Amino acid sequence: MIRLLFIILLALIIGTGLSLGLQYDLGYIRISLGHYLIETNFWVGMGLLVAVVVLTVLIINFARRLGKSTGLVAGWIARSNERRARRRTTQGLLALAEGNWPRARKLLTASAGHADTPLINYLAAAQAAFESGDHEAVDDLLRKAFDSTPGSDMAVGITQAQLQLAGNRLEQALATLVRLRKQSPHHPFVLKLLKNTYLRLEDWRELSKLVPELRKRSVLPEAELNDLERQVWHNLLERAAEDCRRLQKQDPDASLEPLTRLWDELPGFLRRDEYTIRDYARLLAGLGDEVQTETLLRKVLRNHWSDELINIYGRVKGQKPDEQLLLAEQWLKDRPNNAELLLALGRLSLRNELWGKAREYFETSLRLKRNREALAELSRLNAHMGEGEASVKLLMQGLEKDSGLPDLPMPRA
């Protein structure tokens, strides 16, 4: 109210001033523009000048408002595009989850240009293209994903490697992962994917180099790492044994150095591992070096007992079979009821041509545990000792047990 009164008062003052001023002749205004001459009363000229100023101000304000309104329209259009892109992205991800690959790819690709996270759109579209079997489109979409977001090389590369692995493109996956590892040597997921790739390629040598890094970065649980390392070195030992067999075909006296050298390369815990020692002993014995096998097993069994290893020990021929038998009999003092040790003693007795002792050990082993190997050994021994009926009876007992035959009446001979 006070402001309105102030405006009215100011208007009255200005009006009064103008009315008093119009009573005086203040002359005229003359403006010359080229060939044009404009003459007007002073007050009329002042009125025109004020009108021009007011009109200029109005035009400037209108231009400013028009610019602001254009920005608002552009912003509204942009926000509308973003909302549409978010809606299509959500629909595309739902289609991807439902397995509708063509629809997912179409929606995700179409909305990527206006999406908040175009990287997600392109990566998900690449997944849909892969599921559709369009590998060329996969590569194109991954390139667009990389171009859409700076610093996305690792994310795009990992996705590419996963799709290559899923498509059984192992060589391409390996190349991708090797490149990613150069960029980030300790990235846990890259190391894990690289492990999977080497495993599927059966590249045991490279995998043996990777395992220490997997262990250092705790990429896998300890038990899984131990199983993996055992598998890796088992296969390396098998391949080394194959190399030795090839050399022996060319030269029967060829050295077993490829196998023995690899044994020296094994990590410490595997050289104490029962299953790895078992594999190595079997390979060594199979290649004909039973003396070295016996020496290895004797050292191990003195400090770590294993039924599987004593079974192998009873099969191999050491440098001195009589001492080998005496040593095994000393172990019997601490393990009098061990069926596997008794089976091994029976075999060692046969090696020393102690037929009666061998039969006694086999029979004792069978009383403690029904074992096909002990049955077969005792049956074979009886046959060679002229006790064919006892031998056949034992074989029949073994067949009945192994085949699960029911107890049925039989005709008498």
Side-chain angles (χ1 to χ4, degrees), residues 186-199:
H186 310 308
H187 195 290
F189 195 54
V190 172
L191 293 174
K192 188 173 183 178
L193 290 175
L194 199 55
K195 181 267 295 183
N196 293 339
T197 306
Y198 283 138
L199 202 57

Side-chain angles (χ1 to χ4, degrees), residues 230-288:
R230 190 177 290 114
Q231 180 185 4
V232 168
W233 288 100
H234 167 80
N235 283 281
L236 286 173
L237 288 170
E238 288 280 359
R239 289 192 175 180
E242 284 295 326
D243 293 339
C244 291
R245 290 188 190 98
R246 281 194 293 270
L247 291 172
Q248 285 181 339
K249 287 181 180 179
Q250 300 171 3
D251 179 10
D253 298 325
S255 168
L256 302 183
E257 196 223 351
L259 182 60
T260 56
R261 184 179 66 248
L262 188 64
W263 173 257
D264 294 334
E265 294 178 16
L266 259 67
F269 91 94
L270 282 179
R271 294 181 66 181
R272 298 185 297 272
D273 178 67
E274 173 184 340
Y275 302 104
T276 307
I277 294 170
R278 176 200 64 193
D279 293 341
Y280 178 62
R282 285 176 176 171
L283 291 171
L284 203 58
L287 290 167

